[in-house]
Amino acid sequence: YNNSLHNHVRRMVAASNADLDKRMQYKSATIGGSSLDHHNMDWLTMPGKIGVKEPFELVILAGNSGDALSDKTRAMFAKTVAEHNQVITSRGAKTALYMTPAYVAPHKEVNPQNMRKTEDMYVSVANDIKAMTIPVGLAFEEAYRRYPAMKLHDAEDGSHPTALGTYLAASTVVASVYGLSPVGNPYTMYGAVSPETALQLQQVAQDVVNKFFARK
């Protein structure tokens, strides 16, 4: 969605550190409407298979937004992450988990408790494999709390992100993975996000990341 999250992460990092931009390579591997277990991690992380010659340093895994909502899908997510992590770490890389946002209306499974279930699943599974959790879902929750009129989800399905949602997610990834504050970053999706809104979302991302990684 919105020209893929990894492109915006890269551009935001490049805007903060031009030297780092020269040394970065990103790839996104997604299968529409599929779950994490549909992805062949052995093939995807094998050097050279998807156009990156060097081994990956970090592989970020994300499940469906509804994975935490039933015992069956939660168990499958945990099993798949553990299996993928074995492959990833065997190649010298680290695993991170991308905590998805909760559904909003008009999605049929919207529920006030969904974010707590999602948060619990991602944190517990990440702790089991000693991986980083990127708190994107919590950033969405906080952004809606501060700016209730902001549209971060597609109005048609209440699941996929708008451009603002993707921008917030990218800011949260940058703050979590690189330790770079997104606050004041000049990248605005080539004008798709106003400077004022960009700053609001950057601050939400940084505040949520600070609070999340300060947990004991």
Side-chain angles (χ1 to χ4, degrees):
Y1 272 65
N2 307 306
N3 195 29
S4 195
L5 176 66
H6 72 293
N7 286 320
H8 301 297
V9 170
R10 177 170 192 159
R11 292 164 187 162
M12 189 171 284
V13 172
S16 292
N17 188 327
D19 179 63
L20 186 58
D21 180 42
K22 299 174 184 177
R23 298 184 282 115
M24 294 189 301
Q25 284 188 288
Y26 287 77
K27 284 288 180 175
S28 176
T30 60
I31 303 171
S34 293
S35 54
L36 190 57
D37 59 296
H38 293 168
H39 294 73
N40 185 336
M41 196 56 55
D42 182 59
W43 190 86
L44 290 169
T45 59
M46 191 176 296
K49 288 297 185 183
I50 57 174
V52 179
K53 294 180 180 180
E54 298 296 325
F56 288 104
E57 294 182 68
L58 179 70
V59 179
I60 301 174
L61 305 177
N64 289 325
S65 299
D67 277 345
L69 306 187
S70 77
D71 292 340
K72 180 179 179 181
T73 53
R74 187 181 180 115
M76 177 57 75
F77 177 81
K79 177 177 181 290
T80 303
V81 167
E83 292 172 350
H84 285 353
N85 181 63
Q86 286 185 333
V87 176
I88 292 164
T89 56
S90 74
R91 295 213 158 102
K94 294 182 179 180
T95 302
L97 302 186
Y98 178 101
M99 184 195 298
T100 54
Y103 296 129
V104 300
H107 197 280
K108 64 181 180 181
E109 292 189 81
V110 65
N111 186 298
Q113 294 304 312
N114 284 354
M115 193 61 243
R116 302 285 70 77
K117 293 178 180 179
T118 300
E119 178 183 10
D120 177 72
M121 182 185 76
Y122 274 90
V123 171
S124 63
V125 172
N127 286 344
D128 285 344
I129 63 168
K130 296 179 173 57
M132 171 193 290
T133 303
I134 302 172
V136 174
L138 300 182
F140 271 63
E141 184 178 49
E142 178 62 16
Y144 278 131
R145 187 188 71 78
R146 295 186 191 184
Y147 310 108
M150 194 172 281
K151 305 299 183 184
L152 304 175
H153 283 82
D154 190 305
E156 182 178 353
D157 62 19
S159 174
H160 295 98
T162 61
L164 295 185
T166 295
Y167 189 86
L168 174 59
S171 299
T172 308
V173 172
V174 168
S176 300
V177 172
Y178 290 95
L180 294 170
S181 173
V183 179
N185 193 290
Y187 177 65
T188 60
M189 287 184 167
Y190 305 109
V193 182
S194 72
E196 178 184 8
T197 301
L199 185 59
Q200 291 172 331
L201 294 173
Q202 292 165 0
Q203 191 65 62
V204 168
Q206 187 61 51
D207 290 348
V208 168
V209 167
N210 287 345
K211 183 177 180 180
F212 183 76
F213 288 105
R215 292 181 180 182
K216 300 296 184 181

